[in-house]
Amino acid sequence: MTTSSSHATTLPRLVFIPGLAADAAMWQAQLAAMPADLHPVVTTAHAQPSALRIEDMAAQVLAFHVGPLLLCGASMGGMVAMEAARQAPGRVAGLALLGTSARPEAPEMRALREAAMELFAQGRVREVIEPNVAFAFHPASAAKPHLVQAYLDFVLRAGAEQLVRQNRAVIHRPDARLHLPRIACPTLVVCGDADQLTPPECSAEIAALVPGAEHEVLAECGHMLTMEQPDAVNRALLGWLARGGWAR
């Protein structure tokens, strides 16, 4: 067997993990740009009705996708990726953590989520989500109707039940900071400089705790960085893949 064919048989699979209430729509620009031999896929494991906790979502990702994995998670998806690395460090070959936090839920955020969950349960999803655009995007991005509509579309597609379930999971998420120093795989941490939902200090904290982590802050970018700054995100991801030996 040649070296190149041996390498091809051992390449991990690149799995994108969406954020809360998100789906493959948020990863469209990334899927198109990633190396085909990594068989990139957007998981649906986080959206299974049986995944009631971040720990459950991580276990589902590991069960849905066999073999060695490269996990790229955004927001809640980053929380799931960090937990998967804790559960199965031998299977997670690399981590890319975008606009996320390793901290447990803060009391003020818990109160906001619980109030929103009451409205979701009443079917008042749009009433909660539309004002959230100003927090999810940089002001320049929030002024782009196609981005805002794409965001509203996937959140509304998720529906009230999923919104309640996933917000509850995020409220009760584990403190990932406790295990981050044990992560040994190539790790990339990226955030937007104007992220109001997981501020830049959250990403800086992750990068400081993970040995050898790469850290990048994207200018004029909010929380939805894969949609707001797709080219910059793709460059960062391709650099991470190249450093890990998974892409040329």
Side-chain angles (χ1 to χ4, degrees), residues 217-231:
V217 179
L218 304 185
E220 297 185 12
C221 187
H223 188 63
M224 301 304 299
L225 63 173
T226 63
M227 300 166 66
E228 297 183 67
Q229 297 285 358
D231 293 340

Side-chain angles (χ1 to χ4, degrees), residues 20 105 109-117 167 170-171 173:
L20 194 154
E105 186 77 314
M109 278 303 299
R110 177 174 183 150
L112 287 172
R113 288 188 196 278
E114 288 178 340
M117 286 159 57
N167 270 285
V170 169
I171 284 174
R173 68 185 182 269

Side-chain angles (χ1 to χ4, degrees), residues 31-93:
L31 281 172
M34 295 300 108
D37 53 1
L38 296 179
H39 303 289
V41 63
V42 179
T43 192
T44 59
H46 68 297
Q48 301 306 305
S50 59
L52 301 178
R53 304 175 305 153
I54 296 298
E55 295 93 329
D56 300 333
M57 296 177 190
Q60 293 273 35
V61 168
L62 294 165
F64 274 41
H65 308 285
V66 299
L69 303 174
L70 299 169
L71 299 181
C72 178
S75 194
M76 183 190 76
M79 299 170 189
V80 175
M82 288 184 281
E83 173 61 17
R86 185 193 70 81
Q87 291 183 15
R91 287 189 56 204
V92 179

Side-chain angles (χ1 to χ4, degrees), residues 7-8 28 31 60 63 73 82 89 108-109 114 122 148 162 180 183 199-200 205 214 219 222:
H7 181 61
Q28 282 185 344
L31 281 172
Q60 293 273 35
M82 288 184 281
E108 60 272 18
M109 278 303 299
E114 288 178 340
Q122 296 169 23
V148 172
Q162 183 173 314
L180 291 183
I183 291 177
E205 181 177 52
E214 299 277 343

Side-chain angles (χ1 to χ4, degrees), residues 6 23 63 77 129 159 177 209:
S6 175
D23 57 26
I129 296 306
R177 297 173 298 181
L209 287 169

Side-chain angles (χ1 to χ4, degrees), residues 92-111:
V92 179
L95 280 175
L97 306 170
L98 313 182
T100 192
S101 174
R103 301 171 181 175
E105 186 77 314
E108 60 272 18
M109 278 303 299
R110 177 174 183 150

